[in-house]
Amino acid sequence: MYRYFFLPILVLLLATGTVSAAGEKLLLVGSGEPDPKDILLVDYLEEWGYEIELREHLAKHPGNLAGIDFVFISESTSSANILDAYEDSAIPVVNAETWTYDDMGFAPDGTFNSDPGDDLTIVNSDHPITEGFKDKVTVSKPAVALMTCSGFEGDVDILAVRADNDDLVAISVYEKGAKTMKGTTKAIHVNIFPHSTGWQMVTDDGWELIHRSILYALGQIPFDVAPEDKLAVTWGQIKKWQ
């Protein structure tokens, strides 16, 4: 019953563009245009409705960002090629290349990890990215390299860690204006877990966490429509009513 009651609301949200990616453009940074490893990622991003501009890591970075709504950094990127180019980005950054974190001012070098793994533990279930998930989430099947870090510093929100080692953070957020080791952020940064060799192994839950990370970076969740109506809808409510 609740599901059918909710459907008209969801349709309204989609129609008003609140949860739609229509017209939004991302810069995908990787080791090719695209690297073959990132083809499945590209497929998902296009399926979600994003227009993609490709920029391989040997090009100039950050380069021209006119018309770009957010940056997605794939792990296929070599951190030595982009260094701190997106540290002061004025647009949101979703980052899967853990080895840029020292350049960004998020964590010291030597605190990064990419050991094979399959499960994450959600440590903040109140955040829109992780809301509604069980405490333990399988994000890769079978296990594959997961991009994590044990040394985050500054004003960081820790959302999920490796299930087999809670020192290793797999999903984290620096909000706009957050303090880092090098200063403050000019835009939101969401750091995520996928390794570019493992896109084929990412589970449905893993892809949903990636998608939510993008939506949150863009300020699209929690959903907020018609301020006069005071109606807010979160992913947790959608999952509950479906």
Side-chain angles (χ1 to χ4, degrees):
M1 176 178 178
Y2 289 109
R3 177 177 181 174
Y4 296 109
F5 172 77
F6 177 69
L7 283 175
I9 299 176
L10 182 57
V11 170
L12 175 61
L13 290 171
L14 290 167
T16 58
T18 310
V19 298
S20 172
E24 285 171 338
K25 186 174 183 179
L26 70 93
L27 178 69
L28 177 58
V29 180
S31 55
E33 294 186 345
D35 186 301
K37 294 193 296 289
D38 288 329
I39 292 297
L40 185 59
L41 169 63
V42 170
D43 288 345
Y44 269 88
L45 292 168
E46 290 178 339
E47 181 180 321
W48 293 332
Y50 299 109
E51 180 183 352
I52 302 173
E53 179 176 315
L54 300 166
R55 190 170 301 168
E56 57 99 7
H57 59 179
L58 294 177
K60 180 180 179 180
H61 291 275
N64 183 7
L65 295 177
I68 302 294
D69 295 295
F70 72 100
V71 177
F72 191 111
I73 303 175
S74 169
E75 181 280 332
S76 67
T77 303
S78 173
S79 61
N81 288 321
I82 66 170
L83 298 172
D84 62 354
Y86 297 96
E87 173 191 351
D88 293 324
S89 174
I91 60 176
V93 179
V94 179
N95 190 356
E97 173 49 326
T98 303
W99 268 258
T100 63
Y101 293 172
D102 54 337
D103 303 301
M104 297 283 195
F106 298 156
D109 193 11
T111 65
F112 315 140
N113 184 277
S114 59
D115 290 343
D118 51 7
D119 295 332
L120 302 184
T121 298
I122 304 299
V123 295
N124 183 354
S125 59
D126 293 328
H127 195 280
I129 292 176
T130 49
E131 182 184 9
F133 279 94
K134 296 179 179 179
D135 291 344
K136 186 176 181 180
V137 181
T138 299
V139 295
S140 178
K141 191 174 181 179
V144 71
L146 298 179
M147 306 302 287
T148 59
C149 174
S150 62
F152 281 112
E153 297 185 18
D155 298 331
V156 60
D157 294 329
I158 305 301
L159 306 187
V161 299
R162 283 184 63 118
D164 57 1
N165 186 343
D166 58 13
D167 288 333
L168 294 172
V169 176
I171 305 176
S172 62
V173 177
Y174 284 88
E175 300 287 350
K176 179 180 179 180
K179 292 182 180 179
T180 70
M181 294 164 50
K182 298 172 68 174
T184 58
T185 57
K186 295 181 180 178
I188 188 171
H189 290 254
V190 183
N191 303 309
I192 56 177
F193 58 88
H195 194 281
S196 64
T197 61
W199 294 120
Q200 298 287 345
M201 282 72 89
V202 175
T203 63
D204 288 345
D205 281 341
W207 283 113
E208 183 174 354
L209 286 168
I210 296 165
H211 193 190
R212 290 194 199 183
S213 296
I214 295 171
L215 292 171
Y216 185 77
L218 289 169
Q220 295 178 339
I221 53 171
F223 307 132
D224 188 9
V225 296
E228 294 180 0
D229 297 334
K230 306 296 183 183
L231 173 63
V233 183
T234 67
W235 274 105
Q237 290 169 313
I238 290 175
K239 290 173 73 70
K240 177 180 177 181
W241 286 328
Q242 283 180 332

